[in-house]
Amino acid sequence: MTEQPFPRVVRLAEVGSTSTALREAVAADPGAWPHLSALVAGHQTAGRGRTGRSWLTPPGAALTASILLRPQVPLERAPWLTLLAGLAVVRAVRRGGGDRAGAVGLKWPNDVLVDDGGPALAGWGTARKLGGILTELLPPAPDGRPVAVVGIGVNLSQDTAALPVESAASLALAGLPVPVPEALLDAVGRELGRLVRRWEAHDGDARVAGLLAEVAVDCLTLGRDVRVEQPGGGVLHGRAEALDDDGSLRVRDAAGVLHRVLAGDVLHVRSDTGSADAGTDVNLEL
């Protein structure tokens, strides 16, 4: 029997933002939305990225969905939700990717990239963004456990003209199989459910659960030289060495000092030229 990933799925033809719609629905009737409920839209007209950036897609060309999570873990471990959701998307895409599956990976902490070795693009190198994750914490449960809306967007069938920036890609453009949106959502839900259950079984300790190591394997940022443009205006240059137990990024600068990065614009840098390969705006302080 096929594993059912969601206890409740609401499907809308069109919505401004799936995350906004889900957040408002949960506020109006919390009991109607159990853990791992999903809201999916055929067309999202006002999708939101980090720091209020917009994310628009043509009707039917992308997976646009949000999932409600009520994990039984301490509130302070909630930042791992973004990384686990990203890993779930990477694995779901890879399952249908055939020989090209290895080109898909996670960019710390909220982007899904494909790197097919094609022409280099200034600021991105050969990597392109397939999708992203936006996690928003809601008021915690009465027992103090986190409650979160995790928005997921994955570009499926867009051609170059339908994508807003050169650094974006779709599964079709990357030469990967293109599933229907709800099939991909089900695959993501199954992967995410398994990951969260493992995480919960170890009280949210991603290292003990083995999840930190698994995210690290698929994280394209680790082992790379990076430039971090910090919220206060400073810039950190160094090598992204590892993930910390709280999901933050550990970056060692040229003087050997180890920094713990929670927020900022993180760009991959080509060590031979010092120029940026790929950037993303990130914030683990949910």
Side-chain angles (χ1 to χ4, degrees), residues 58 110 202 210 250 265:
N110 61 338
H202 296 278
R250 295 168 63 183
D265 288 328

Side-chain angles (χ1 to χ4, degrees), residues 230 236 244 246 248-251 258-263:
Q230 299 168 312
L236 169 65
D244 219 331
D246 61 358
S248 59
L249 186 67
R250 295 168 63 183
V251 177
L258 194 61
H259 302 259
R260 179 169 162 265
V261 178
L262 285 168

Side-chain angles (χ1 to χ4, degrees), residues 190-206:
R190 292 186 190 99
E191 296 288 349
L192 184 58
R194 293 169 191 147
L195 292 169
V196 171
R197 286 191 291 272
R198 285 176 54 195
W199 188 46
E200 291 175 320
H202 296 278
D203 200 30
D205 190 324

